[in-house]
Amino acid sequence: MQSPEASTAATPTQIHLALAALADEVVGTLARLFAYVGTLVLFAILALAAFDQLPSLRDEEPAEKPGWSVADRSQPAFALSRLDSSEKTASYVILRHPEGGRRDVMRWTGGEADKPVAELEIYREGGEFDVTRPATADLAVHMGLGDATPLEQAGLIDTKFGPVALFRPTGTAEAARACLGYLKRSEEPALQISGFSCQGDTLPARRAAIACTLNRLTLLTSGNEPKLAELFAHAELKRRSCASQGSSDWLLGAANAQLRGAL
């Protein structure tokens, strides 16, 4: 039989062993806790690093192609011969597209509010040209009308570039007195001449004003486009004086004649 003294002496040892086991358990728990927290911190660091890389990844994605922009350093390629020295010079804006297109736009304003009264645009087509888009899609907007405003044919006029189609707003009471839009396309070179005019008090006068404007259009430089130079050289051979704008052969058909063939 174990003596009471021996039993009493074993009690501190057991206590020390229990404390040691408890200490080991606490240390182990703390170690696992630190490891768990460290793992969470590591995942957080990796997540932040990945998040910081998102902008650069987005930058590497194909960006939306830019559209038309003003080309301040480009030189005018076209001009209008003046009727007299007092004629007001039009504003001239050049727009370029990254896919090669170029628009030379001349505008004239009048009245106290400097409201646009005429516009002439020469569009040299590039890769951005959409063959499925109607040629007159933007003409109503340029004329100061809504983009949904329908246009009707208003006959043809004869110019040094050949027949040019005229357009006016459809089904309005002011159609007879409205500004006239015009459009002429060339396949070779790929070129479109368009614009509008509000000049003149009558329909024949507005037609004559457009014809006079187009006959005065001249080429300053063709750059590296020999076909453009050829087009204007041939057109000059058929140029008419604005003094003959009242001649009946400026008008080809009735006001609403159906247009046939290429414009």
Side-chain angles (χ1 to χ4, degrees), residues 163-185:
V164 174
L166 300 178
F167 300 88
R168 64 184 178 184
T170 302
T172 63
E174 300 296 325
R177 298 187 298 274
C179 302
L180 284 179
Y182 56 91
L183 178 67
K184 175 68 178 180
R185 282 190 50 77

Side-chain angles (χ1 to χ4, degrees), residues 188-239:
E188 198 65 39
L191 181 76
Q192 180 173 290
I193 301 174
S194 63
F196 71 90
S197 178
C198 305
Q199 298 170 315
D201 297 328
T202 63
L203 183 60
R206 286 191 290 275
R207 291 186 176 189
I210 293 173
C212 180
T213 297
L214 294 177
N215 279 292
R216 294 165 55 203
L217 180 62
T218 60
L219 179 68
L220 298 178
T221 175
S222 62
N224 297 321
E225 301 180 57
K227 291 187 178 297
L228 179 63
E230 182 180 353
L231 172 68
F232 273 79
H234 289 168
E236 282 300 308
L237 299 177
K238 298 180 290 183
R239 182 176 182 178

Side-chain angles (χ1 to χ4, degrees), residues 92-138:
Y92 199 117
V93 178
I94 300 172
L95 303 173
R96 285 189 176 274
H97 196 280
E99 296 188 35
R102 169 169 168 155
R103 297 177 184 269
D104 289 63
V105 184
M106 290 178 254
R107 294 188 182 94
W108 292 263
T109 58
E112 297 179 357
D114 282 339
K115 181 180 179 180
V117 295
E119 178 179 291
L120 170 61
E121 177 184 287
I122 302 93
Y123 172 27
R124 283 178 273 178
E125 302 161 6
E128 79 292 338
F129 181 69
D130 184 2
V131 295
T132 64
R133 183 175 176 81
T136 58
D138 299 324

Side-chain angles (χ1 to χ4, degrees), residues 23-110:
D24 290 341
E25 185 67 25
V26 172
V27 171
T29 301
L30 290 175
R32 288 191 295 272
L33 181 60
F34 280 123
Y36 178 73
V37 173
T39 302
L40 291 179
V41 172
L42 178 61
F43 280 128
I45 293 174
L46 293 176
L48 289 174
F51 183 76
D52 289 339
Q53 292 297 320
L54 288 179
S56 61
L57 292 176
R58 288 194 295 266
D59 292 341
E60 294 175 0
E61 295 177 355
E64 184 179 353
K65 294 182 179 180
W68 294 94
S69 59
V70 178
D72 293 325
R73 297 185 179 181
S74 297
Q75 296 298 317
F78 306 92
L80 289 187
S81 57
R82 294 190 176 187
L83 291 175
D84 56 67
S85 59
S86 62
E87 187 175 9
K88 183 178 180 180
T89 303
S91 64
Y92 199 117
V93 178
I94 300 172
L95 303 173
R96 285 189 176 274
H97 196 280
E99 296 188 35
R102 169 169 168 155
R103 297 177 184 269
D104 289 63
V105 184
M106 290 178 254
R107 294 188 182 94
W108 292 263
T109 58

